[in-house]
């Protein structure tokens, strides 16, 4: 096999033409700023699609999460429970407010926050102010259980639906389960604005506050009058044009991603691997990224330091780093699983709660009698596969061959 001439991406923007019409419209009418019809329409369409009352268009999903944390009333020193196996943007906004994230371990059923560990966390840290739960790789978390536990303990739920736009849990769209929720239009998400994000809520006064904070917190006065800290977080009307042009294609993108997931799943049925799982009875993911987990028995020895990896090739066995290296050799892009936050040097002093309780002090993923640190285990055995919308079935067949060859 020879390398692909054109790189096969993990997940790249997929444009359709309508985006250009709306960008052009902004240009022609000279609404080249953070006001205009594209913003109004993008907000209207998002709220309608997701089924929430208010959508506030912002510069990125991280900004939406930051305003969500502020709206939740999180103050300096407050404890905030966060998904552990996720992108750092889920957690950074908690730090912006000088609050203290405590990480909740992952469950194997959906690779999201474990409700059992969350319940444990409320025993260990009573009075936690908020719970930030992500829907990883487009798969809804166990949202009913998580919301019930949070509510019972008086904590505000913030849903990080940056990766899961269009996914549903018990028939309801993700991005509606928290009091305040975030979606993202970053370049590699299911639909994109090139950048951008939105805060979603049913709370009118919260939406108004977010709108005000995102535009430097100007008071109603003839001059620049300020009573609160402000941010420059509003979405550009040009970016909103791209978002507006992409929304009609959300469902077709999801269908393409699902087809990619199903093809991998069928092709790997006889390998010692599983795909990233979901609760088929209660949820329908958006299948943003297809991931796989190598069975323990089929794992070649792999050791990762902070910035390097080393593995020993064994007959019939492989490991994520061998597969990623091999894909790269053929000009295809995979990616390790998000490295859990509790394993990140910046968070080494922060709390981490597993099903068994305090997970700090464990030196590796395995303790006699079974796996206790689920995040570390999935990080070590899992990887994200090329999941680009524009990858053809023929190209995917070659990717599948490349991956299968690693098990020789
Ligand atoms: C992409 C992403 C974000 C941040 O979105 P941006 O628009 O890039 O700021 C937050 N959380 C998760 C889980 C993400 O994948």
């Amino acid at each position: 096999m020879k390398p692909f001439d054109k790189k096969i991406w993990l997940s790249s923007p997929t444009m359709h033409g309508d985006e250009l019409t709306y960008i052009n419209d902004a240009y022609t009418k000279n609404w080249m700023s953070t006001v205009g019809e594209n913003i109004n329409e993008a907000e209207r369409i998002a709220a309608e699609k997701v089924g929430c009352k208010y959508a506030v268009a912002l510069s990125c999903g991280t900004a939406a999460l930051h305003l969500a944390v502020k709206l939740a009333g999180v103050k300096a020193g407050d404890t905030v429970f966060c998904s552990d196996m996720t992108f750092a943007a889920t957690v950074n906004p908690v730090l912006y407010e000088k609050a203290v994230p405590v990480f909740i371990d992952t469950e194997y059923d959906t690779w999201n926050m474990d409700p059992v560990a969350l319940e444990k966390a409320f025993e260990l840290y009573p009075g936690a102010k908020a719970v930030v739960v992500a829907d990883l790789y487009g798969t809804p978390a166990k949202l009913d259980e998580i919301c019930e536990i949070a509510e019972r303990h008086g904590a505000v739920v913030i849903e990080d639906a940056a990766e899961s736009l269009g996914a549903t849990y018990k028939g309801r769209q993700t991005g509606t389960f928290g009091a305040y929720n975030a979606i993202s239009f970053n370049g590699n998400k299911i639909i994109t604005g090139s950048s951008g994000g939105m805060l979603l809520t049913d709370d009118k006064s919260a939406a108004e506050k977010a709108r005000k904070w995102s535009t430097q917190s100007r008071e109603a006065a003839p001059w620049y009058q300020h009573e609160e800290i402000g941010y420059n977080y509003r979405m550009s009307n040009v970016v909103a044009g791209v978002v507006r042009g992409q929304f009609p294609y959300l469902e077709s993108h999801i269908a393409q991603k699902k087809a990619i997931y199903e093809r991998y799943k069928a092709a790997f049925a006889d390998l010692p691997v599983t795909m990233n799982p979901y609760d088929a009875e209660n949820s329908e993911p958006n299948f943003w990224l297809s991931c796989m987990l190598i069975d323990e028995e089929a794992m070649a020895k792999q050791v990762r330091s902070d910035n390097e990896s080393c593995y020993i090739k064994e007959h019939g066995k492989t490991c994520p780093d061998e597969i990623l290296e091999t894909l790269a050799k053929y000009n295809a892009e995979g990616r390790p699983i998000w490295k859990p936050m509790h394993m990140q040097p910046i968070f080494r002093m922060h709390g981490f709660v597993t099903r068994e309780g305090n997970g700090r002090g464990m030196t590796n993923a395995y303790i006699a009698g079974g796996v206790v640190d689920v995040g570390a285990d999935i990080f070590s055995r899992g990887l994200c596969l090329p999941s680009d919308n524009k990858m053809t079935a023929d190209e995917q067949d070659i990717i599948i061959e490349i991956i299968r060859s690693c098990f020789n």
Side-chain angles (χ1 to χ4, degrees):
M1 276 187 293
K2 62 180 186 41
F4 291 102
D5 295 330
K6 216 168 75 231
K7 184 163 179 172
I8 306 294
W9 298 96
L10 181 77
S11 180
S12 72
T14 303
M15 294 293 124
H16 301 276
D18 308 21
E19 301 87 353
L20 208 50
T21 311
Y22 294 121
I23 293 174
N24 234 321
D25 188 65
Y27 184 93
T28 313
K29 295 176 180 159
N30 203 34
W31 289 106
M32 296 296 286
S33 178
T34 51
V35 281
E37 193 186 325
N38 287 338
I39 295 182
N40 301 341
E41 275 303 291
E43 286 183 343
R44 187 189 62 75
I45 294 164
E48 186 183 284
K49 166 71 201 167
V50 172
C52 67
K53 290 206 180 109
Y54 307 97
V56 181
L58 300 169
S59 52
C60 59
T62 311
L65 285 161
H66 184 194
L67 298 187
V69 167
K70 281 177 68 86
L71 286 166
V74 170
K75 296 278 182 306
D78 284 346
T79 299
V80 177
F81 295 147
C82 298
S83 288
D84 176 57
M85 196 174 80
T86 182
F87 183 42
T90 305
V91 178
N92 279 330
V94 174
L95 301 184
Y96 301 165
E97 290 306 307
K98 305 205 168 354
V100 184
V102 167
F103 303 110
I104 309 300
D105 199 13
T106 308
E107 37 82 1
Y108 284 111
D109 301 339
T110 76
W111 291 11
N112 286 302
M113 181 185 281
D114 184 348
V116 178
L118 180 64
E119 185 75 66
K120 265 272 179 320
F122 277 107
E123 285 168 30
L124 294 168
Y125 301 86
K129 190 81 185 209
V131 176
V132 188
V133 56
D135 301 304
L136 211 72
Y137 300 132
T139 300
K142 296 181 175 177
L143 290 162
D144 270 3
E145 287 168 70
I146 284 165
C147 292
E148 186 277 320
I149 294 165
E151 193 177 336
R152 184 154 38 79
H153 293 278
V156 182
V157 174
I158 295 169
E159 191 186 3
D160 178 356
E163 300 181 356
S164 67
L165 181 59
T168 58
Y169 178 78
K170 298 193 176 168
R172 187 168 139 201
Q173 293 271 323
T174 59
T176 62
F177 286 84
Y180 318 107
N181 312 278
I183 55 174
S184 166
F185 303 109
N186 180 294
N188 70 8
K189 297 290 174 8
I190 190 94
I191 59 169
T192 181
S194 74
S195 65
M198 284 186 191
L199 176 101
L200 308 177
T201 182
D202 281 338
D203 176 343
K204 183 161 193 254
S205 85
E208 282 167 358
K209 272 189 217 164
R211 226 172 271 277
K212 178 184 167 193
W213 292 341
S214 72
T215 50
Q216 307 286 18
S217 292
R218 283 185 69 181
E219 299 298 329
W223 41 80
Y224 281 78
Q225 179 84 5
H226 300 287
E227 292 173 9
E228 300 180 275
I229 190 169
Y231 304 88
N232 185 2
Y233 277 176
R234 194 70 168 138
M235 183 184 280
S236 147
N237 193 50
V238 178
V239 166
V242 184
V243 173
R244 188 181 174 189
Q246 285 262 288
F247 252 110
Y249 297 92
L250 174 58
E251 295 307 325
S252 68
H253 284 193
I254 294 174
Q256 288 162 348
K257 296 275 193 183
K258 184 172 183 175
I260 290 168
Y261 178 94
E262 297 294 349
R263 279 201 295 266
Y264 278 131
K265 191 171 177 150
F268 296 147
D270 63 329
L271 289 184
V273 302
T274 47
M275 295 295 291
N276 48 330
Y278 62 98
D279 174 359
E281 208 171 298
N282 291 311
S283 74
E284 180 66 15
N286 71 3
F287 300 94
W288 175 53
L289 292 188
S290 288
C291 306
M292 84 186 208
L293 189 68
I294 300 168
D295 290 355
E296 241 173 273
E297 312 80 67
M299 272 288 286
K301 191 174 169 59
Q302 169 194 263
V303 179
R304 286 168 167 173
S305 74
D306 269 351
N307 0 356
E308 282 178 316
S309 160
C310 188
Y311 62 86
I312 300 167
K313 181 62 196 163
E314 279 178 75
H315 179 70
K317 294 186 177 188
T318 186
C319 62
D321 292 334
E322 184 190 12
I323 297 176
L324 292 170
E325 247 177 53
T326 312
L327 285 170
K329 209 167 71 190
Y330 288 99
N331 202 21
E333 185 188 28
R335 192 199 260 166
I337 298 297
W338 296 126
K339 183 171 179 176
M341 293 300 115
H342 80 277
M343 299 170 76
Q344 303 287 355
I346 182 177
F347 295 124
R348 67 193 175 281
M349 301 304 281
H350 286 250
F352 169 55
V353 183
T354 70
R355 287 182 161 230
E356 277 75 29
N358 188 349
R360 279 296 175 194
M362 296 188 311
T363 48
N364 65 46
Y366 304 92
I367 282 188
V371 175
V372 287
D373 179 346
V374 177
D377 180 40
I378 297 176
F379 173 63
S380 117
R381 294 193 287 124
L383 72 152
C384 307
L385 305 172
S387 308
D388 197 52
N389 293 77
K390 295 170 295 311
M391 176 171 66
T392 64
D394 287 347
E395 287 168 333
Q396 193 178 351
D397 284 342
I398 298 170
I399 298 283
I400 288 165
E401 274 316 297
I402 293 169
I403 294 169
R404 293 188 71 92
S405 74
C406 294
F407 286 87
N408 291 339

